[in-house]
Amino acid sequence: MFGRFVRWLGHKMAGAAHRIDEKKRDELRSTPFPDAYHPHVSEVAQTAGLTAEQRAKLHGDILIFLHEKQFVGVDLELADRHRVIVAATAAILVLGRHISQFDHVQEIRIY
């Protein structure tokens, strides 16, 4: 009985935190996608041939991923190219889902 209550409470708390994030995510989705990012996104082969709707979702998810995750270069000075390619790859993985699939990821280390 107690275990069920703890799971229920955890679900409610996670839902409340998620709603707070959704407002910021909606703002990011409505932000124009930077022109400088387009060449980097095109380096991810799976982005070729996406519909306009898929590309819009991809761009929004990339901006969210870049905003929410901390990128760390290990023996490497990171450039926007590195960050955008990683974010585009992650966004492709959840193209038919919600970017919240990556809520458990806080840091990306690039070697």
Side-chain angles (χ1 to χ4, degrees):
M1 177 81 167
F2 182 70
R4 194 178 308 171
F5 172 73
V6 169
R7 282 192 300 277
W8 174 83
L9 182 61
H11 176 72
K12 291 296 181 187
M13 292 176 71
H18 190 65
R19 280 192 298 275
I20 293 168
D21 292 340
E22 280 306 312
K23 183 175 180 179
K24 182 62 179 172
R25 286 176 174 176
D26 288 343
E27 290 174 15
L28 289 166
R29 282 187 191 96
S30 65
T31 302
F33 195 72
D35 289 336
Y37 290 178
H38 288 288
H40 308 315
V41 172
S42 68
E43 291 186 54
V44 179
Q46 293 81 0
T47 62
L50 294 178
T51 65
E53 183 180 336
Q54 290 171 324
R55 189 163 297 280
K57 181 182 182 318
L58 180 81
H59 288 170
D61 287 351
I62 289 170
L63 293 175
I64 291 166
F65 199 86
L66 291 171
H67 176 77
E68 293 182 352
K69 310 306 176 200
Q70 179 181 2
F71 289 80
V72 177
V74 179
D75 297 327
L76 172 72
E77 188 169 332
L78 292 181
D80 279 346
R81 178 178 176 266
H82 300 111
R83 292 179 188 90
V84 172
I85 288 173
V86 169
T89 303
I92 281 288
L93 293 174
V94 295
L95 194 58
R97 298 183 181 94
H98 195 274
I99 194 67
S100 64
Q101 296 286 309
F102 289 113
D103 281 355
H104 65 284
V105 178
Q106 296 176 353
E107 182 179 89
I108 312 295
R109 291 177 182 241
I110 302 176
Y111 293 83

